[in-house]
Amino acid sequence: MIVMKFGGTSISDAEGIRRVAQIIVEEKGDVVVCSAFSGITNTLLEAGVTAANGDNSYKRIYRDIVQRHKNAIKNLSLGTESDLLFPVNEIHKELEKLLEGVFLIREFSMRTKDLVMSFGEKVSSRLLTSFLKSRGIAAQFYDSNQLIYTDNEFGNARINAELSSKRILEQLTIDKNTKKIIPGFTGRNDNGVITTLGRGGSDLTATFIGSVLKADEVQIWTDVNGFMSADPNKVKDAFSLDVLSYDEALELSYFGAKVLLPHSIRPAKENHVPIVIKNTFDKAFVGTRVSKKTVPLKDFAKGITSIDSVSLINIKGSGMVGVRGISARIFRTLAENDINAILISQASSEQSVCVAVQPEATTTACNSLRQEFQLEMMTKMIDEIEVDSNLSIVAVVGDKMRNTPGVAGRIFNAFGENGVNVVAIAQGASELNISIVISKTDEERALNSLHNAFFTKRRVLNLIVAGKGLIGTELIAQLKATRQVFLNEKGVELRVISILDSKKMLFEPDGIHLPSWKESLVHSTISSNIHQLLKLIKTNNIINTVFIDCTASEQISDAYLQLMENRISVVAANKIANTKPMKVYERLKQTANQYKVHFLYETNAGAGLPIIDTIRNLKDTGDEIKKFEAILSGTISFIFNQLSETVKFSDIVKKAKEKGYTEPDPRVDLSGLDFARKILLLVRESGRDMEFEDIAIEPLTAFCSSEKESVEEFYQKLEREDVRYDRLVKKAGEKHQVIRWIGKYESGKASIKLESINNEHPFYSLKGTDNIIAIYTKRYANPLVIKGAGAGAEVTAGGVMSDVFRIANAMNKRWDY
Ligand code: ADP
Ligand code: ASP
Ligand code: MG
């Protein structure tokens, strides 16, 4: 036997009723518990409150409710069926009178509230019954008034199990072939007065009836794919859970997974009736099965949930240490005042106890506690009782967290990295959940960062690519080609969420479709702006983000600090930031450290060659860099490898430019500006302070200084250098030597100079556009040499990719314990 419950989200209009009726038939539902149309319960409450305030507009609210019901009746062509229209009209009249009464006496007691709220279910269930009948399906309406007996606690009544079971068995076991339709949420007390089971109470109606009838399963039909690892409205990457134990489901729902009412689980658990959460809008989804069984997952946790709004009451004082009974008195006081303590945490020093309560209960809770501890407060054993409002609770739930060390560490790590401040933390003795109180503004960020930290299969590194020049374009092509392999091998999805050039940007939180990024960027309507980008990242709760700067823009490099402060890692192919004054360089490093983000720029020297990484590794393992010599420019390498007695210097420069080896303006290369930036960075990476001005540069030509000249004019002047170079080459040749322009660092001094070197020098046989560096350290008296292609979009983009991989691997390592 199958008991089905359809939530308001499934029934909000005629179309919903049709869809639900089809499910009842196809899935062979026997007993159907029905919620009010979505939103109707709230609207009924609003009408009551408005009337009680003496505000006439309750009538408009009432009419809206009636209209929604009538629209559905009309749409389902049930208007002529007196069987339905008459009782519904009567029900509406009764509601109208009731609201009028509230308006007149200006009182809306809990008892009246329950009565008013019961009208939603009253109508929807009758409507469904009539529709089924109109389609020739045997269906019968059963009033919950005759089935669910409760105590007198209006608003949150408890079911009288004995009496209700008896009634249910009496009435619902006859006529097996008729579908029995029952309004959820409501019941009656001993005197026949209507009560409600608390908001979301239809779930309980269903599980209770299912348990009494020993149903094969109770199906809860809603608008999402079952119990998910987190609220899909808050966590983008949430996924459906196939199986949950009753206890896990209880913890998840208690801490906010609204998909099932927490206390609806108990009757099912006690009677071993499985609950299956299904999706009315996706019939193909098999559902989440809540039963005795749990399936151990690779992940520690099953789900992450949250309670939006809580206040924290803090009772503290040095006089509390070692005094017995304080906690007991706190809880007794709260219980006497009907206040539910959502979470409790006590410092091990016993100097403070904090209790999370619903915001509405805060004032009563504080006042009653102040009264209870009046004496202790007078004698200063207890300081003031403080309240912290605007907080949320997030909870990590799962059976497997028991006896697994490191879970709390993982939580704090995730929060630390995403800037979520922890206000209080509590772990249930069952170890089934860890709950953390945080600021309400951090809630979604906290949920997303925890989700990312706990569900290993679904790690995402979000990438922003700035610049669509040669390197940016090549990088995106490489990402497109390697993403799948990286996902398969490392379990990390490299997701490009934004691409920007100087004018426009793309932003797509689910990932940009890479094959058509160029066209999309052309058609984008968002103008390129870092502030706007940061806003979008924030509102979309995007975490684990890397900004990749493939531009040569100073404006973009100026944004690094701001990006890092927003917990975005930076990978820079752009050299500008690192070669600003030493204090800027240090500030960038400190900021990266402080906000626990990465700042990587391997391609700033030697393109894709692992130079910076090697220097860092040497330093980190205790070696000391004493000296290095380097040629760190493909252009320079090319020029001097070509230079001979038969070719002119100016011609080679032109050739280099034609081949695309030089900067757009070759003076940037020939002045040594670009080369010196790289030397400066390497000196700094070796652990020494240096400013740009400290580097003694011998430019390749004196004609670089006038920027006013056009490149053409510059070329003409450059020819005047040919004689000088011809002479230098000849002179070197006589000694079997070659000319090289070498950057050097030794004993605190750096220079870039033309040198004549013989065949014993490691730079003698340099070829093509290769870069080279010889590093002399304490360990490497014979230098450690790194040599290879040092220019070109392909190797540079490859270097940027290695930086991205470093970050992805670090992310993986962090969680793999
Ligand atoms: P119904 O009207 O069907 O009872 P509810 O609104 O009460 O529906 O519950 C379903 C909602 O619960 C979903 O729309 C979803 O936003 C929310 N929700 C919160 N946490 C979770 C979770 N962990 N898994 C699934 N849904 C969740
Ligand atoms: N209609 C009620 C509510 O909105 C009960 C339910 O939907 O379960 O709370
Ligand atoms: Mg619900």
Side-chain angles (χ1 to χ4, degrees):
M1 203 232 320
I2 305 284
V3 174
M4 293 178 161
K5 174 255 167 177
F6 291 92
T9 50
S10 303
I11 321 174
S12 47
D13 49 20
E15 201 190 326
I17 298 265
R18 276 198 199 94
R19 196 179 290 120
V20 161
Q22 197 182 350
I23 293 173
I24 296 171
V25 175
E26 281 173 6
E27 306 288 322
K28 301 189 174 53
D30 298 295
V31 174
V32 178
V33 174
C34 195
S35 281
F37 283 16
S38 79
I40 286 284
T41 313
N42 284 340
T43 320
L44 284 163
L45 259 181
E46 195 194 334
V49 172
T50 313
N53 285 337
D55 181 347
N56 233 329
S57 61
Y58 81 88
K59 288 186 180 160
R60 186 188 43 76
I61 306 173
Y62 162 78
R63 280 196 298 272
D64 289 347
I65 296 169
V66 171
Q67 200 53 52
R68 268 187 76 186
H69 290 151
K70 290 209 164 148
N71 287 348
I73 293 174
K74 192 165 161 219
N75 195 307
L76 294 170
S77 312
L78 298 174
T80 51
E81 210 184 313
S82 56
D83 197 24
L84 175 70
L85 207 53
F86 178 71
V88 169
N89 278 341
E90 287 302 300
I91 291 168
H92 284 152
K93 268 190 219 149
E94 193 188 334
L95 174 64
E96 190 179 15
K97 269 196 232 139
L98 186 60
L99 290 170
E100 212 174 277
V102 172
F103 178 74
L104 289 174
I105 59 170
R106 303 278 199 273
E107 196 194 72
F108 196 36
S109 67
M110 290 302 280
R111 176 178 159 149
T112 316
K113 245 182 216 169
D114 273 11
L115 183 56
V116 168
M117 281 198 293
S118 72
F119 279 77
E121 271 74 6
K122 235 180 220 176
V123 176
S124 63
S125 48
R126 281 176 168 86
L127 240 156
L128 177 62
T129 316
S130 286
F131 181 68
L132 287 168
K133 283 186 182 168
S134 76
R135 294 292 141 117
I137 300 153
Q140 172 78 41
F141 170 78
Y142 285 82
D143 201 338
S144 45
N145 232 343
Q146 305 300 317
L147 297 170
I148 307 290
Y149 283 69
T150 72
D151 64 9
N152 283 321
E153 204 181 311
F154 294 103
N156 201 9
R158 259 163 284 225
I159 296 180
N160 177 334
E162 207 179 319
L163 209 53
S164 307
S165 302
K166 202 163 152 244
R167 293 280 181 268
I168 289 168
L169 288 170
E170 273 166 16
Q171 298 188 49
L172 297 186
T173 46
I174 35 174
D175 195 1
K176 291 205 164 45
N177 298 321
T178 304
K179 313 240 177 252
K180 299 160 187 74
I181 318 296
I182 301 158
F185 180 47
T186 57
R188 55 164 289 180
N189 69 6
D190 288 345
N191 303 323
V193 178
I194 294 218
T195 56
T196 67
L197 308 176
R199 297 305 305 270
S202 301
D203 292 340
L204 176 59
T205 312
T207 56
F208 184 79
I209 293 177
S211 309
V212 174
L213 297 176
K214 302 270 181 290
D216 297 309
E217 59 186 47
V218 174
Q219 298 177 351
I220 305 285
W221 291 81
T222 183
D223 65 340
V224 285
N225 276 348
F227 252 112
M228 303 187 74
S229 53
D231 186 344
N233 292 318
K234 290 179 181 158
V235 177
K236 211 162 35 59
D237 296 323
F239 52 90
S240 303
L241 302 167
D242 302 334
V243 210
L244 283 174
S245 70
Y246 290 114
D247 291 343
E248 284 170 333
L250 181 66
E251 297 281 332
L252 279 170
S253 60
Y254 181 75
F255 282 98
K258 200 182 156 205
V259 66
L260 189 63
L261 187 73
H263 52 277
S264 69
I265 295 168
R266 209 173 102 193
K269 182 183 175 185
E270 284 173 357
N271 294 284
H272 310 293
V273 175
I275 306 173
V276 185
I277 321 286
K278 297 191 151 232
N279 189 349
T280 306
F281 304 88
D282 180 4
K283 284 192 273 175
F285 171 68
V286 289
T288 301
R289 198 176 179 79
V290 180
S291 68
K292 255 192 320 205
K293 272 190 241 152
T294 176
V295 172
L297 286 177
K298 192 172 151 272
D299 302 313
F300 294 104
K302 274 281 167 65
I304 316 272
T305 51
S306 64
I307 301 178
D308 283 354
S309 226
V310 297
S311 296
L312 201 67
I313 300 176
N314 210 341
I315 305 124
K316 63 174 193 229
S318 48
M320 285 162 64
V321 183
V323 180
R324 276 192 211 153
I326 295 230
S327 302
R329 281 169 61 197
I330 293 175
F331 302 124
R332 198 190 56 233
T333 308
L334 293 175
E336 280 169 4
N337 288 280
D338 254 343
I339 294 163
N340 179 29
I342 303 171
L343 167 153
I344 301 145
S345 170
Q346 175 168 24
S348 57
S349 67
E350 293 184 42
Q351 286 212 38
S352 75
V353 176
C354 58
V355 188
V357 298
Q358 285 187 324
E360 311 81 86
T362 318
T363 315
T364 321
C366 274
N367 291 345
S368 53
L369 286 169
R370 283 192 185 119
Q371 207 169 348
E372 172 70 27
F373 292 106
Q374 208 175 13
L375 202 65
E376 284 81 356
M377 282 169 74
M378 259 163 58
T379 56
K380 300 271 182 266
M381 275 173 77
I382 288 180
D383 307 336
E384 180 52 16
I385 293 173
E386 292 165 354
V387 183
D388 234 342
S389 342
N390 293 324
L391 301 173
S392 292
I393 297 180
V394 294
V396 182
V397 176
D399 239 350
K400 211 188 159 190
M401 303 200 314
R402 242 186 279 258
N403 309 324
T404 308
V407 176
R410 195 178 274 230
I411 295 173
F412 290 127
N413 234 332
F415 282 178
E417 278 172 21
N418 292 286
V420 177
N421 189 32
V422 172
V423 180
I425 174 161
Q427 170 166 355
S430 64
E431 283 193 51
L432 214 63
N433 102 57
I434 296 182
S435 343
I436 312 103
V437 182
I438 54 166
S439 161
K440 196 171 170 163
T441 49
D442 286 341
E443 184 193 336
E444 294 204 4
R445 176 171 285 265
L447 284 172
N448 280 278
S449 57
L450 285 180
H451 198 268
N452 202 288
F454 278 92
F455 298 111
T456 48
K457 289 164 289 184
R458 284 149 223 265
R459 260 175 233 151
V460 177
L461 192 63
N462 293 297
L463 308 179
I464 301 161
V465 182
K468 57 159 193 203
L470 285 177
I471 299 174
T473 304
E474 172 64 24
L475 175 73
I476 296 171
Q478 291 188 11
L479 276 166
K480 201 173 93 200
T482 49
R483 281 175 74 212
Q484 194 56 45
V485 182
F486 200 74
L487 179 64
N488 295 347
E489 287 180 3
K490 303 280 182 183
V492 177
E493 181 192 336
L494 301 173
R495 185 184 289 174
V496 181
I497 56 157
S498 176
I499 300 176
L500 54 142
D501 64 15
S502 55
K503 294 193 190 73
K504 288 179 168 184
M505 70 181 181
L506 287 176
F507 183 81
E508 186 47 69
D510 293 326
I512 292 166
H513 181 61
L514 292 184
S516 56
W517 72 268
K518 276 196 177 147
E519 298 87 81
S520 310
L521 188 59
V522 171
H523 294 116
S524 169
T525 50
I526 323 174
S527 48
S528 177
N529 178 323
I530 298 277
H531 291 283
Q532 174 66 7
L533 179 66
L534 287 173
K535 232 196 222 159
L536 287 169
I537 289 175
K538 222 183 196 136
T539 46
N540 284 279
N541 289 305
I542 291 171
I543 56 169
N544 290 332
T545 312
V546 184
F547 184 92
I548 308 171
D549 182 4
C550 300
T551 71
S553 148
E554 178 152 10
Q555 203 189 344
I556 296 268
S557 74
D558 284 344
Y560 292 175
L561 282 177
Q562 199 191 357
L563 288 162
M564 293 187 210
E565 283 161 7
N566 283 280
R567 296 179 200 272
I568 297 173
S569 290
V570 175
V571 168
N574 182 348
K575 290 186 264 299
I576 298 176
N578 276 327
T579 48
K580 292 209 158 174
M582 193 67 199
K583 60 176 193 303
V584 177
Y585 171 83
E586 279 169 349
R587 173 116 190 261
L588 283 164
K589 299 229 141 184
Q590 278 161 7
T591 309
N593 252 337
Q594 181 185 347
Y595 290 92
K596 300 207 169 45
V597 290
H598 299 267
F599 176 39
L600 299 178
Y601 37 81
E602 184 57 74
T603 54
N604 277 191
L609 294 177
I611 297 176
I612 294 176
D613 201 41
T614 306
I615 292 181
R616 275 200 195 142
N617 282 341
L618 289 170
K619 213 166 53 135
D620 290 349
T621 53
D623 204 349
E624 188 192 325
I625 287 120
K626 292 184 176 295
K627 166 182 164 182
F628 65 77
E629 287 182 309
I631 295 175
L632 293 175
S633 152
T635 326
I636 303 307
S637 189
F638 177 79
I639 291 173
F640 288 96
N641 293 341
Q642 296 276 315
L643 195 62
S644 72
E645 289 180 39
T646 55
V647 272
K648 281 194 254 164
F649 178 74
S650 60
D651 285 343
I652 305 169
V653 174
K654 280 178 211 156
K655 195 167 153 198
K657 160 102 180 142
E658 275 159 27
K659 282 184 173 279
Y661 294 155
T662 66
E663 298 287 322
D665 183 345
R667 279 171 285 196
V668 177
D669 296 301
L670 303 191
S671 65
L673 180 67
D674 181 66
F675 194 173
R677 279 182 181 152
K678 296 170 182 168
I679 296 295
L680 177 67
L681 177 60
L682 294 185
V683 173
R684 288 176 173 177
E685 290 298 309
S686 308
R688 280 159 183 109
D689 288 7
M690 187 169 278
E691 299 294 353
F692 190 82
E693 301 74 47
D694 298 337
I695 305 174
I697 310 172
E698 178 191 344
L700 290 184
T701 162
F703 303 124
C704 295
S705 45
S706 171
E707 281 170 17
K708 285 192 196 90
E709 283 169 350
S710 71
V711 175
E712 274 318 306
E713 283 169 320
F714 166 70
Y715 276 139
Q716 276 169 18
K717 278 196 181 166
L718 194 64
E719 286 169 20
R720 293 188 220 161
E721 297 282 11
D722 290 345
V723 184
R724 182 165 70 93
Y725 277 99
D726 196 41
R727 213 180 301 135
L728 277 173
V729 172
K730 271 204 183 102
K731 217 166 129 194
E734 283 160 14
K735 292 187 272 176
H736 304 289
Q737 291 186 338
V738 292
I739 301 291
R740 296 282 183 254
W741 199 35
I742 298 175
K744 195 183 269 184
Y745 167 78
E746 191 172 12
S747 316
K749 290 208 167 63
S751 63
I752 297 175
K753 274 202 203 99
L754 277 171
E755 287 186 39
S756 178
I757 55 171
N758 62 28
N759 64 359
E760 278 170 31
H761 194 286
F763 295 3
Y764 182 86
S765 54
L766 205 62
K767 299 241 161 43
T769 57
D770 280 4
N771 281 8
I772 190 162
I773 182 165
I775 308 168
Y776 299 78
T777 72
K778 239 172 20 187
R779 284 182 210 143
Y780 291 95
N782 266 337
L784 181 134
V785 177
I786 303 168
K787 183 175 126 182
E794 202 178 327
V795 288
T796 309
V800 173
M801 281 289 276
S802 350
D803 278 346
V804 172
F805 288 164
R806 275 185 196 109
I807 297 175
N809 284 330
M811 179 165 103
N812 253 350
K813 228 180 261 152
R814 231 169 32 227
W815 305 130
D816 284 344
Y817 51 84

